[in-house]
Amino acid sequence: MRKFFAGLAILQVLAVVAQFFLAASGAFATASNDESFQTHRMLGAGIVLLAVLVTVVAAVARMPGRLIGMSGLVAGLAVLQAVIRVIAAAFDDAGGSTTAGELVFGLHAVGGLAIMAVAMTIVRQARRMSGPGTPVRPAP
């Protein structure tokens, strides 16, 4: 089960890397913003679901509590990304974006970096924990 957890954690990192690619592709696309970022938004929802799955598998695999918590943190940070988008849009006026909206939306990129950092930490620890000879924590 620990190897499965490690594999899911790696898949999660790959999804986050793809998310950065889709964000850059949408930013430089010639189509409208709604159309350009559609795949980015869809993958974002997938990342939230994947992060919840990673958290559940971490708990079932009896990973250390800190690792389970970090897995849940990825899900929380991914949800926060959508909240940042909504808050930034609330600052926008009818004709387009405002400076305040753009500054708030800048936090979206910072949040993406935080997600990547936590996801990479999970992968490092999961790989270490899934190696041979790693003791399994006894059931409470």
Side-chain angles (χ1 to χ4, degrees), residues 18-20 22-24 36-45 108:
Q19 190 70 328
F20 274 98
L22 292 172
S36 297
F37 288 102
Q38 184 63 29
T39 53
H40 177 75
R41 282 191 294 276
M42 289 171 48
L43 182 57
H108 190 76

Side-chain angles (χ1 to χ4, degrees), residues 7-135:
L8 278 178
I10 291 169
L11 179 64
Q12 182 172 256
V13 167
L14 293 174
V16 173
V17 169
Q19 190 70 328
F20 274 98
F21 173 80
L22 292 172
S25 295
F28 294 107
T30 56
S32 69
N33 271 354
D34 283 342
E35 189 177 319
S36 297
F37 288 102
Q38 184 63 29
T39 53
H40 177 75
R41 282 191 294 276
M42 289 171 48
L43 182 57
I47 288 173
V48 170
L49 295 175
L50 181 59
V52 169
L53 177 64
V54 168
T55 305
V56 169
V57 171
V60 170
R62 295 187 179 169
M63 300 304 272
R66 183 177 173 111
L67 196 53
I68 296 169
M70 282 194 299
S71 300
L73 179 61
V74 171
L77 288 171
V79 169
L80 183 61
Q81 292 290 80
V83 173
I84 288 170
R85 180 177 181 259
V86 169
I87 292 171
F91 280 106
D92 292 347
D93 57 11
S97 64
T98 63
T99 302
E102 290 171 2
L103 289 173
V104 170
F105 200 66
L107 294 173
H108 190 76
V110 175
L113 292 173
I115 291 169
M116 178 61 88
V118 174
M120 288 297 298
T121 301
I122 292 168
V123 166
R124 279 194 303 274
Q125 290 184 14
R127 292 185 74 195
R128 187 174 28 230
M129 297 290 298
S130 67
T134 305

